[in-house]
Amino acid sequence: MSEIAKAVAALEEQAAEARELRQTLERIEAEVDAHLDDLRGIGSAILDLHFDLDNQIAEHDYSAVEQAVGTLGGLVDVAEILPKIDAVLLLTALLEGTPTPDLTVPVELFEAGEAEDHRSAEQEAIRNRAHKAGLHLIELFDHIGDNLWPELIESVETGRRDDAVRALAAAAAAARDARPAYKLYEVNLSIQYEADPSSLGAMGEFLSGFETWLFSQKDS
């Protein structure tokens, strides 16, 4: 093989390697974008839940509120979200040639005792019965959707894993607090219904009608 032929073959090999490298980089970039889109989509879903929750509580639709609380817990599932955060940070470090982040999990942040501010709000809700409990639920959804999740996204985008993990831990704690807050809301709504069904509006009328139907079935 002539020297020119060897040089051409070497150039062709380098070009093929460059194309393969470019394709690999594009796949990595696409995966980073996909994970970020997933995280942003979760934020949008939380905001949608928050928007619907206002109406559900106003209409005393306790079953829809319970479903929203369950959905929130699923959306901020640490086991699902933390790997996405770490994938973005690892792949970004690979693309930019920067040191890989420390991926140790600060377990203490995810323990159930980390939400003191939410628990104090829950105690206030106990004193103020169904309306206050409903407002507390709205505040929890709002805190996650408007504050914590944007902070998580920004932290992931700027490579600040510690801040992203702290935001995730706080969101998970708030979602956990939403469950006892819902039970408090449900109990107080039941008390309100027993005292004055008409105070629950259309939902009260529906429950009263259903109750009447049940009694009529027993008597027949």
Side-chain angles (χ1 to χ4, degrees):
M1 181 183 291
S2 68
E3 291 301 318
I4 293 177
K6 289 180 180 178
V8 170
L11 288 173
E12 288 176 344
E13 184 178 352
Q14 290 174 6
E17 290 175 352
R19 286 194 297 271
E20 184 178 346
L21 177 60
R22 181 67 257 171
Q23 291 170 353
T24 300
L25 292 175
E26 288 174 352
R27 286 196 294 271
I28 294 174
E29 290 170 349
E31 189 166 351
V32 168
D33 289 341
H35 285 306
L36 282 173
D37 285 345
D38 285 346
L39 292 172
R40 294 188 187 104
I42 291 169
S44 296
I46 293 170
L47 290 175
D48 288 342
L49 282 175
H50 177 226
F51 177 79
D52 292 338
L53 190 67
D54 288 341
N55 292 329
Q56 291 161 357
I57 288 178
E59 295 169 0
H60 309 292
D61 191 347
Y62 63 92
S63 60
V65 175
E66 182 180 24
Q67 184 176 357
V69 169
T71 301
L72 177 67
L75 287 172
V76 300
D77 183 355
V78 175
E80 293 287 334
I81 295 168
L82 190 56
K84 293 181 184 295
I85 292 174
D86 288 347
V88 171
L89 297 178
L90 281 172
L91 293 174
T92 301
L94 179 63
L95 287 171
E96 298 178 353
T98 56
T100 57
D102 177 12
L103 300 184
T104 56
V105 178
V107 177
E108 68 278 2
L109 289 180
F110 295 95
E111 293 175 349
E114 289 296 320
E116 294 297 330
D117 55 333
H118 299 306
R119 284 209 302 273
S120 63
E122 184 179 308
Q123 293 304 313
E124 182 181 0
I126 291 174
R127 293 191 296 271
N128 290 281
R129 304 185 64 180
H131 178 68
K132 190 63 181 179
L135 289 179
H136 178 48
L137 274 172
I138 292 173
E139 288 167 2
L140 287 172
F141 278 70
D142 178 63
H143 183 49
I144 297 173
D146 286 342
N147 299 322
L148 296 176
W149 214 258
E151 180 183 336
L152 184 150
I153 297 294
E154 182 190 6
S155 298
V156 174
E157 289 176 338
T158 54
R160 294 180 289 115
R161 183 179 186 267
D162 288 349
D163 291 339
V165 171
R166 276 193 289 271
L168 175 58
R176 283 196 305 270
D177 281 356
R179 294 184 182 277
Y182 167 75
K183 297 307 294 183
L184 178 65
Y185 166 79
E186 182 183 48
V187 166
N188 283 297
L189 204 65
S190 296
I191 295 171
Q192 184 177 339
Y193 171 74
E194 290 172 4
D196 182 11
S198 65
S199 68
L200 301 187
M203 180 56 69
E205 293 178 7
F206 169 77
L207 292 173
S208 293
F210 183 67
E211 206 171 54
T212 301
W213 178 82
L214 280 179
F215 283 126
S216 68
Q217 294 301 304
K218 289 181 180 179
D219 294 337
S220 59

